[in-house]
Amino acid sequence: MPSVDECLEIVEKMYKDGAPVKEIAKRCGNSMSTVYKALDRLEALGRIKRRRGHYSKHRRLSEEELEQIKQLYMQGASIYEIARRLNRPESTVYYALKRLGLK
């Protein structure tokens, strides 16, 4: 298994091209945690700017969003699809469905 140093170039190129960490890890033949260590090192060196989560901070679901989640789920949409449409984490959609008694 290649070390962090051996993977730096691959990690840097793929990350800049927008590849997900899981794909980078597979390509390097390393674990995701090793890729994250490489990304931390590259960021410390100023060679990359890390992408962070795109969700806004813990805002509650509105009644309209709960109704949308319910309707979309009843129409057969997956949790992933619903989360993407509402720009919410999948876990939020899952727990909303659980509270609504649908999961």
Side-chain angles (χ1 to χ4, degrees):
M1 204 177 278
S3 70
V4 173
D5 292 328
E6 295 167 339
C7 279
L8 278 179
E9 298 303 318
I10 296 169
V11 170
E12 182 177 13
K13 182 184 180 331
M14 289 183 74
Y15 191 78
K16 284 181 177 178
D17 291 342
V21 172
K22 190 173 187 175
E23 188 179 317
I24 297 170
K26 196 179 293 184
R27 174 86 186 277
C28 282
N30 266 320
S31 66
M32 287 176 47
S33 64
T34 302
V35 173
Y36 280 117
K37 287 175 190 172
L39 290 171
D40 288 342
R41 186 172 295 168
L42 288 167
E43 188 174 36
L45 294 171
R47 290 168 55 180
I48 63 164
K49 171 99 170 94
R50 294 278 301 270
R51 299 185 294 264
R52 303 293 179 192
H54 62 278
Y55 299 112
S56 60
K57 203 171 189 175
H58 305 291
R59 57 187 167 94
R60 293 184 182 268
L61 288 170
S62 67
E63 291 299 320
E64 294 82 27
E65 286 176 311
L66 283 171
E67 187 58 36
Q68 271 186 298
I69 289 170
K70 181 180 178 181
Q71 287 177 357
L72 288 168
Y73 187 73
M74 297 301 275
Q75 293 170 2
S78 70
I79 291 174
Y80 176 80
E81 291 169 27
I82 297 168
R84 288 286 172 211
R85 284 189 188 183
L86 299 178
N87 194 28
R88 293 294 195 137
E90 293 168 42
S91 60
T92 299
V93 173
Y94 176 80
Y95 287 115
L97 289 170
K98 198 170 178 179
R99 279 194 311 267
L100 292 168
L102 298 172
K103 260 305 189 189

